[in-house]
Structures are given as structure tokens and as C-alpha cells.
Amino acid sequence: MKSIVKNVAWDVALQSHKCKRNLKHIIAKGDRRLKIKEGRSESHYCMQCAEKILKGGLLKINSLIDDI
Ligand SMILES: [Zn+2]
């Protein structure tokens, strides 16, 4: 079955770095982060942004389901 969220997963930062959505957010080494594959590259987001991204996706999916 085709999945629309196959490119999204949790992983753990191997080193400290900035969140892709907001450069003021720092993801510390060992922190959980949301990994989204976009083409050949991967973007990583802090938990705060991950929640917004996932909820935003859910709203979109719900609106598509409502339209069935
Ligand atoms: Zn963030």
C-alpha cells in the first residue's frame, strides 16, 4: 500500500544542530527529532516544530478525508 508518510520518522541527533524550520531552535546531541526525507536530502526538526508539522499534516489529511 502506498503511504503518504513513508518519508517521515523519528530519529536521534548524533550531534547538536539547528532545527530546519526555525534556526533559533537548537536540537541537542541525543535529542529525538523528526526526520523528513525530501528527495535525496533529509531535514530534521525539533519536537516543537515536529508537533506543528505533524498536526498540520493531520489537518490536511482530515480535510481530504472529509472530501471523499
Ligand atoms: Zn524547531
Side-chain angles (χ1 to χ4, degrees):
M1 189 176 79
K2 188 170 175 63
S3 170
I4 54 176
V5 291
K6 63 181 177 180
N7 293 330
V8 183
W10 295 115
D11 79 346
V12 172
L14 299 176
Q15 57 190 34
S16 172
H17 67 88
K18 290 171 181 167
C19 169
K20 178 86 181 219
R21 185 168 174 272
N22 185 330
L23 299 181
K24 290 178 189 161
H25 298 165
I26 303 297
I27 300 169
K29 180 181 178 181
D31 274 2
R32 219 151 64 106
R33 62 184 182 179
L34 189 69
K35 176 177 76 177
I36 303 182
K37 269 192 223 168
E38 291 162 304
R40 283 190 203 167
S41 62
E42 285 182 356
S43 298
H44 302 101
Y45 302 90
C46 72
M47 296 304 279
Q48 186 186 336
C49 291
E51 185 175 5
K52 289 189 175 134
I53 291 165
L54 292 171
K55 285 184 174 171
L58 197 57
L59 287 176
K60 172 75 177 172
I61 289 167
N62 278 331
S63 81
L64 289 167
I65 291 170
D66 284 346
D67 230 19
I68 288 172

